Amino acid sequence: MDLIVTADYAALSRTAADRIAETIAANPTAAIVAATGDTPMGAYRELAARRRRDAIRTDRLRVFQLDEYLGIGPEDRRSLYGWMERAFLAPLGIPAARVVRLNGTASDLAATCRAYDETVCAAGGFDLAILGLGPNGHLGFNEPPTAPDAPTRVVDLTPESVASNARYWGDPEEVPRRALTAGMEVLLAARQTLLLVSGASKRAILHRVVDGPAVSDVPASLLQRSAGVTILADEAAWGVNSAVGGG
Ligand code: GLP
């Protein structure tokens, strides 16, 4: 894993946008799985600004939804698809036909999950995974413990994830208790991964991801065994006095 520590969130977002733009320039039809959550929003805004200046072309990407709450349709304000649509798909002009959804209201959820993994496989795997880090080390909603070969599936959210997701919707009662998540296996197999981590509240878990053993109890630590992983952290997340390791 490579680790890049930036001075602040703005620099993290610009650096992430640079990396994503390079991937898009080299492969305009790249298969990208893109997280919601707060952390990647600055990078998405930066990419949208570059698109408005015609500096990047994004309309031929294939975009995969990372996670979704169970029983929540796209019109619900809590829908992660809706968030992705507002923050990523619409500003980057990506047509719905080029998006692979995780539908939390599908009647046959097992079939939805199987179809998702088959579609990723048919696309040749993810070219790029843009991920955030859960406070308990989750990726998407791969909650601890998650095996490295876990498929795309329905999961129960841990109390910690319910609590952390409550900040998006204002009230823990608003947070659904179950979700769909892209599986650990397809995420770990991505050819390139950007793990974006910002803020002092992530410092302890980030150090477990980077310095600790690769274990299922910290799902993001399993990225240590994957190729092409870059962690982008700001100083608040990494700590100004911590040595930069990685490699
Ligand atoms: C959420 C989501 C993840 C997200 C992570 C970090 O629970 N399931 O997809 O990446 O937690 O979110 P944030 O960037 O807001 O800290």
Side-chain angles (χ1 to χ4, degrees):
M1 293 196 297
D2 288 334
L3 172 68
I4 297 173
V5 180
T6 62
D8 55 24
Y9 178 70
L12 180 151
S13 298
R14 278 194 306 276
T15 307
D18 288 345
R19 291 293 185 103
I20 298 165
E22 277 166 25
T23 298
I24 293 171
N27 181 4
T29 62
I32 296 182
V33 60
T36 54
D38 289 332
T39 316
M41 293 303 131
Y44 296 167
R45 282 193 294 272
E46 176 68 28
L47 288 171
R50 293 181 193 194
R51 175 175 178 256
R52 285 195 298 276
R53 298 197 301 269
D54 280 333
I56 54 169
R57 186 172 170 191
T58 43
D59 59 328
R60 293 170 63 208
L61 297 172
R62 290 166 297 169
V63 178
F64 291 73
Q65 186 175 357
L66 176 64
D67 45 21
E68 184 58 278
Y69 300 117
L70 213 65
I72 299 294
E75 70 296 335
D76 189 300
R77 72 184 184 93
R78 297 167 294 174
S79 158
L80 296 180
Y81 183 81
W83 192 352
M84 185 167 86
E85 165 73 24
R86 292 188 297 277
F88 191 83
L89 303 175
L92 295 182
I94 296 161
R98 302 207 52 86
V99 181
V100 178
R101 274 189 62 192
L102 271 176
N103 181 359
T105 58
S107 53
D108 187 341
L109 293 165
T112 294
C113 293
R114 259 196 323 275
Y116 182 96
D117 280 342
E118 283 164 13
T119 308
V120 177
C121 197
F126 295 131
D127 295 300
L128 172 63
I130 307 167
L131 302 175
L133 177 63
N136 59 0
H138 72 211
L139 295 179
F141 275 131
N142 286 287
E143 298 279 51
T146 292
D149 61 352
T152 297
R153 66 202 184 286
V154 175
V155 294
D156 293 318
L157 299 189
T158 59
E160 202 172 3
S161 290
V162 171
S164 74
N165 278 242
R167 75 181 191 278
Y168 307 139
W169 322 114
D171 182 350
E173 292 307 311
E174 290 280 312
V175 182
R177 269 41 183 178
R178 300 178 80 201
L180 292 175
T181 185
M184 209 58 191
E185 184 163 36
V186 288
L187 294 180
L188 292 175
R191 273 178 283 286
Q192 187 192 353
T193 299
L194 292 177
L195 180 65
L196 309 182
V197 191
S198 174
S201 66
K202 298 280 178 72
R203 193 176 298 172
I205 191 67
L206 175 59
H207 279 271
R208 288 182 72 191
V209 168
V210 175
D211 305 326
V215 287
S216 295
D217 282 339
V218 184
S221 70
L222 298 172
L223 287 170
Q224 290 176 18
R225 302 178 186 149
S226 295
V229 177
T230 300
I231 299 178
L232 277 171
D234 57 20
E235 278 183 5
W238 183 250
V240 273
N241 295 319
S242 306
V244 174

